[in-house]
């Protein structure tokens, strides 16, 4: 139990881990296809800079390789342009860019795709309403 007056809440992601089956193929996909900056490699892991967040991809251990991945949502300015650029690089999209929510101030656009290991990822764009 937290001490009285202790106000705590998670508000920032420092690193995200994604489990892959083929580290060499996944490293090439994130670096060469998605265009992410490779920071460094360590035994069984590759680390990328993605804005303020570090992404770690690592080899699956045992039966863990069949476990589902978390979805990573990548912020982009223009979801259609990002979709087209990645599709031209051979990225397999599960869905075309589409509005999934409308608010007074913005529309939320998503487009889902798969990485080289079949993990689901998404492009996310919040477009201001004119």
């Amino acid at each position: 139990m937290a001490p009285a007056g202790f106000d705590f809440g998670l508000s920032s992601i420092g690193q995200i881990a994604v489990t892959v089956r083929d580290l060499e193929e996944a490293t090439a996909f994130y670096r060469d296809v998605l265009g992410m900056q490779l920071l460094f490699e360590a035994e069984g892991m590759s680390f990328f800079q993605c804005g303020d967040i570090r992404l770690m991809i690592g080899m699956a251990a045992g039966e863990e390789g069949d476990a589902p991945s978390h979805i990573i949502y990548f912020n982009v300015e223009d979801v259609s342009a990002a979709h087209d650029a990645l599709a031209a690089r051979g990225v397999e999209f599960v869905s075309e860019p589409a509005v999934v929510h409308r608010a007074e101030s913005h529309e939320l656009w998503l487009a889902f795709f798969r990485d080289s290991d079949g993990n689901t990822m998404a492009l996310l764009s919040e477009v201001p309403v004119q």
Side-chain angles (χ1 to χ4, degrees), residues 21-121:
R21 291 181 193 95
D22 184 328
L23 183 61
E24 187 176 323
E25 180 183 13
T27 299
F29 180 84
Y30 283 83
R31 181 190 60 225
D32 302 336
V33 178
L34 297 184
M36 295 177 69
Q37 178 189 0
L38 177 64
L39 294 173
F40 61 94
E41 296 176 80
E43 188 175 334
M45 298 173 282
S46 293
F47 294 83
F48 296 86
Q49 193 63 47
C50 187
D52 294 335
I53 298 173
R54 186 173 52 235
L55 173 67
M56 187 275 302
I57 57 172
M59 292 296 296
E63 293 181 21
E64 202 176 296
D66 292 331
S69 165
H70 289 69
I71 298 174
I72 300 174
Y73 293 82
F74 294 96
N75 286 320
V76 296
E77 291 276 329
D78 182 333
V79 71
S80 293
H83 169 273
D84 293 347
L86 293 178
R89 295 179 191 173
V91 172
E92 173 196 346
F93 275 85
V94 177
S95 68
E96 297 293 315
V99 175
V100 297
H101 176 72
R102 286 186 171 90
E104 281 187 37
S105 61
H106 68 279
E107 294 177 334
L108 178 62
W109 286 74
L110 295 176
F112 290 91
F113 65 96
R114 298 204 187 279
D115 72 2
S116 60
D117 220 50
N119 295 308
T120 301
M121 308 287 174

